[in-house]
Amino acid sequence: MTNVFSHAPFARFLSARVGSIAAQQMLMLAISWHMYDLTSSAWDLGLVGLFQFIPGLATTLFAGHCADRMHRGRIVAVCLAAQGATAVLLAVSTYMHFVTRDVLLGLSLVLGAIRPFQMAGQQALLPMLIPRALLARAMALSTVGQQVSVIAGPAVGGLLFAIGVNAVYVTCATLFCVSAAMYALIRYDYVPPPREPVTVETILAGLRFVWSHHLLLGGISLDLFAVLFGGATALLPVYAKHILHVGPQGLGLLRSAPALGALCVGLMLSRRTIRSGVGKKLLLAVAVYGISIVGFGLSRSFPVSLVLLAISGGADTISVVVRQTLIQLETPDRMRGRVAAVNTLFVGASNQLGEFESGVTATAFGVIGSVVFGGCATILISVAWSRLFKPLATRETLHRLDV
């Protein structure tokens, strides 16, 4: 760990990442609770996810092209500043009593359009800040930083609700601005690439690269389908209010619980990386994730629910670290932005579209039926991918042995 932190650009990257993700988590917590408080509708909670997914679908591949043609740190800084402006707008409109269902959905569209540029820039930037031999450890530490933010963000956001929703929005705006300044100051060996026209071929290059590499396609699509069905985040406000009866403060703890499990596993992986049976352990982690989601869906105990969500977060961290490290190691730098964009597209689909799926199935089968169905589907996906993507299932180490 000392060797990793001895690289100042990575340390600055990690600090800025912690602040920005904490702000994003608080902002999403505030928007989801604000929406449910206004409408009391699981369908509208699902729409928040859908309205973030749609513009991301339209901009993600172009975002990857930009990440391969521009300074990646500055791209992320601009994206965070824009999200800070969105938080300010939410605070002002709330103070002026202008917030409606349509305002929240409209700003969700804005956030959805911005984040692909941020995510593509972040993912492509990290390998430039750390030696290749330390990448897996840095990836685990980056995941730890993310989970610290995911724990602290919703928990602090829940406490700030005692003051008012505007306290959450103002805090988010401040964190976004500080993080944007830190990203803008990151320095790495940046050589502007040769100018070339933006064409359909250059924009789709990342998609073609992933499609031609069965291992990458299997890893990225595994996340898409597993989290698409297994995610329960969109329905946590319903669980907090009507099933577990714990209110907005309890909602903050529910949102933080997966991150606590992820933090513990991430710290373990930052000290000792997975050295063998990488593919099998990845698929097993996805299956454990699905099992924990099924248990959460059936639970009526708040402590038990927190434990099951923590287990889901720990299992998901193994999946994230393995998949992200494989993506970075298997992708040349000239393609990292566009491949990161494809990964962002799949991750966005699994998260935002997964929230919409949760809203739809909750409307059809009830909230509990939706969560249990999703967890079972995730288990089946793990089994199916072990047969459909043999290069992924049989991968032994993170680094290819022939390199």
Side-chain angles (χ1 to χ4, degrees):
M1 293 176 66
T2 302
N3 290 335
V4 175
F5 281 117
S6 66
H7 298 271
F10 173 72
R12 187 174 291 117
F13 170 91
L14 187 60
S15 299
R17 181 170 166 80
V18 168
S20 63
I21 294 176
Q24 288 168 346
Q25 291 296 314
M26 282 194 285
L27 188 59
M28 288 301 98
L29 175 72
I31 290 175
S32 64
W33 185 265
H34 210 156
M35 175 65 82
Y36 195 67
D37 194 47
L38 286 173
T39 68
S40 299
S41 169
W43 171 262
D44 286 336
L45 286 175
L47 285 180
V48 170
L50 180 64
F51 273 56
Q52 289 184 57
F53 171 72
I54 291 174
L57 184 65
T59 61
T60 295
L61 294 180
F62 179 67
H65 178 88
C66 292
D68 282 335
R69 296 293 176 268
M70 301 168 65
H71 192 286
R72 293 161 180 170
R74 293 169 191 160
I75 290 175
V76 179
V78 170
C79 292
L80 294 178
Q83 290 175 72
T86 302
V88 170
L89 183 58
L90 277 166
V92 172
S93 59
T94 300
Y95 180 77
M96 301 295 291
H97 304 290
F98 291 155
V99 172
T100 63
R101 171 182 179 273
D102 292 339
V103 167
L104 294 176
L105 291 178
L107 291 176
S108 295
L109 281 172
V110 174
L111 293 172
I114 294 170
R115 283 186 184 154
F117 291 89
Q118 175 192 341
M119 294 179 69
Q122 281 178 336
Q123 291 180 39
L125 176 61
L126 178 56
M128 307 301 296
L129 309 178
I130 205 79
R132 182 183 179 91
L134 296 175
L135 182 59
R137 186 167 293 180
M139 196 70 66
L141 281 171
S142 180
T143 302
V144 167
Q146 174 181 334
Q147 300 311 326
V148 167
S149 302
V150 174
I151 292 170
V156 172
L159 294 174
L160 288 172
F161 265 105
I163 302 173
V165 69
N166 256 3
V168 184
Y169 292 141
V170 171
T171 303
C172 289
T174 302
L175 286 173
F176 278 130
C177 291
V178 172
S179 299
M182 295 182 71
Y183 269 109
L185 294 174
I186 289 177
R187 298 289 180 265
Y188 66 95
D189 293 332
Y190 171 67
V191 179
R195 288 186 175 272
E196 62 177 331
V198 179
T199 65
V200 173
E201 182 177 357
T202 60
I203 290 176
L204 296 180
L207 194 60
R208 289 197 302 272
F209 183 86
V210 171
W211 185 261
S212 65
H213 288 70
H214 212 50
L215 182 144
L216 295 184
L217 179 62
I220 293 175
S221 61
L222 176 66
D223 178 77
L224 166 65
F225 289 104
V227 181
L228 172 64
F229 292 108
T233 302
L235 299 177
L236 288 182
V238 184
Y239 269 83
K241 191 168 187 176
H242 295 301
I243 297 176
L244 300 174
H245 307 289
V246 290
Q249 287 75 28
L251 173 61
L253 293 175
L254 288 171
R255 289 290 293 265
S256 299
L260 180 60
L263 174 62
C264 295
V265 173
L267 285 171
M268 179 186 69
L269 293 176
S270 70
R271 292 180 174 274
R272 185 174 182 177
T273 59
I274 297 175
R275 300 185 183 279
S276 63
V278 166
K280 292 178 181 177
K281 290 173 182 175
L282 169 62
L283 293 168
L284 178 61
V286 173
V288 170
Y289 175 84
I291 293 169
S292 64
I293 292 299
V294 171
F296 169 76
L298 297 173
S299 172
R300 296 295 184 279
S301 166
F302 184 55
V304 170
S305 297
L306 291 175
V307 170
L308 289 168
L309 288 175
I311 292 172
S312 75
D316 187 52
T317 294
I318 295 174
S319 171
V320 168
V321 171
V322 170
R323 286 186 298 100
Q324 292 294 337
T325 304
L326 286 175
I327 290 170
Q328 300 292 3
L329 292 174
E330 295 288 317
T331 306
D333 181 65
R334 62 182 177 81
M335 291 292 300
R336 280 200 177 106
R338 282 167 287 185
V339 170
V342 175
N343 186 51
T344 297
L345 184 64
F346 280 60
V347 168
S350 64
N351 291 327
Q352 276 84 50
L353 194 57
E355 291 182 10
F356 179 65
E357 180 270 340
S358 295
V360 171
T361 54
T363 301
F365 309 128
V367 172
I368 295 171
S370 170
V371 174
V372 172
F373 166 79
C376 291
T378 300
I379 298 167
L380 294 176
I381 286 165
S382 174
V383 175
W385 257 238
S386 68
R387 289 161 173 76
L388 292 174
F389 294 95
K390 289 296 184 181
L392 178 65
T394 58
R395 179 69 175 244
E396 271 298 308
T397 61
L398 290 171
H399 294 266
R400 281 172 21 205
L401 298 177
D402 58 343
V403 174

